[in-house]
Amino acid sequence: MQKRFLLLALVVGLGALLAWLDVYDADSVTRDPKARAQEPSHVVKNATLTLFDDSGERHQVLRTPQLTHTPELAITQLSAPDATLFDSQQRRWHVSAEHGTIDRQEHLTLSGNAQIRAPEEGWKLGTERLHYDSNAAHAYSELPVRLQQPPQHMQAQRMDVWLNEDALRLTGNVRGYHPIEVDNEDNTP
């Protein structure tokens, strides 16, 4: 009986010691609430996102090998995004880049060899950062751009493209190369 009492006292004493150590072993490092804001809530592999306008027409289809959403920052990061944009006439425009983000206003920002291509018109525009507002169907870049429609090409410091209005504006030190078409019969321009 004395052995049982001694064993019980030892177990209770050890339990009390562990509880006391647990209470006083509080982490002295203060947690940074901003660090939690950097944590993604989910990661999706091989994602395809489709946005529809108010009338139910699709106006953006985005494909990416990896999508990472961080709700505290209200931002979605995209790796190697490739998107098809549809204007009001349902014409297709293709955009791609090395990286991308989507913010809470559904603005798409593409960076790293960002390109927008109009296959029907045969032109391609390249820049390092391209912004796209899907609600206004407006793409723009505030970095140097190069517009190509072989054999001609143009360069500028900034550009705006309004897909629904079929309008392009290049501004800031605009330069271009436009070869003269030669009539093959008599070699005259």
Side-chain angles (χ1 to χ4, degrees):
M1 177 99 152
Q2 190 177 11
K3 285 183 181 181
R4 286 185 182 174
F5 179 71
L6 200 74
L7 187 60
L8 180 64
L10 184 63
V11 169
V12 170
L14 186 58
L17 177 65
L18 288 175
W20 181 77
L21 287 174
D22 188 47
V23 168
Y24 288 100
D25 189 33
D27 194 78
S28 62
V29 177
T30 55
R31 305 251 187 249
D32 182 6
K34 292 181 183 176
R36 181 143 175 92
Q38 303 292 328
E39 295 177 10
S41 67
H42 56 274
V43 175
V44 180
K45 301 282 186 179
N46 298 319
T48 300
L49 306 171
T50 304
L51 289 176
F52 297 90
D53 62 16
D54 294 337
S55 65
E57 294 288 330
R58 66 182 176 176
H59 67 103
Q60 183 174 319
V61 177
L62 177 85
R63 292 164 297 285
T64 180
Q66 181 172 312
L67 172 147
T68 305
H69 181 67
T70 308
E72 294 292 325
L73 299 176
I75 196 162
T76 302
Q77 296 176 333
L78 312 164
S79 65
D82 183 35
T84 303
L85 312 174
F86 298 89
D87 63 17
S88 58
Q89 298 171 23
Q90 289 299 299
R91 290 179 298 183
R92 296 171 188 248
W93 305 73
H94 300 285
V95 294
S96 61
E98 295 169 6
H99 309 282
T101 58
I102 301 172
D103 64 15
R104 71 179 65 190
Q105 288 85 25
E106 296 181 359
H107 293 154
L108 174 63
T109 301
L110 301 171
S111 57
N113 194 26
Q115 296 184 5
I116 183 168
R117 296 175 305 283
E120 291 178 17
E121 286 82 17
W123 61 262
K124 174 175 76 170
L125 189 134
T127 185
E128 276 305 303
R129 178 164 293 150
L130 180 70
H131 302 274
Y132 181 66
D133 178 352
S134 61
N135 295 323
H138 175 226
Y140 65 95
S141 179
E142 296 175 348
L143 296 176
V145 297
R146 180 176 174 93
L147 174 66
Q148 299 176 59
Q149 187 177 29
Q152 57 190 347
H153 59 84
M154 297 181 76
Q155 295 175 313
Q157 295 300 310
R158 187 182 191 295
M159 76 85 193
D160 288 275
V161 176
W162 293 271
L163 303 184
N164 291 339
E165 298 165 20
D166 204 17
L168 167 72
R169 178 177 60 201
L170 298 172
T171 55
N173 197 23
V174 179
R175 296 174 306 201
Y177 169 73
H178 304 279
I180 299 172
E181 292 185 25
V182 176
D183 186 5
N184 287 338
E185 291 180 19
D186 60 358
N187 286 339
T188 58

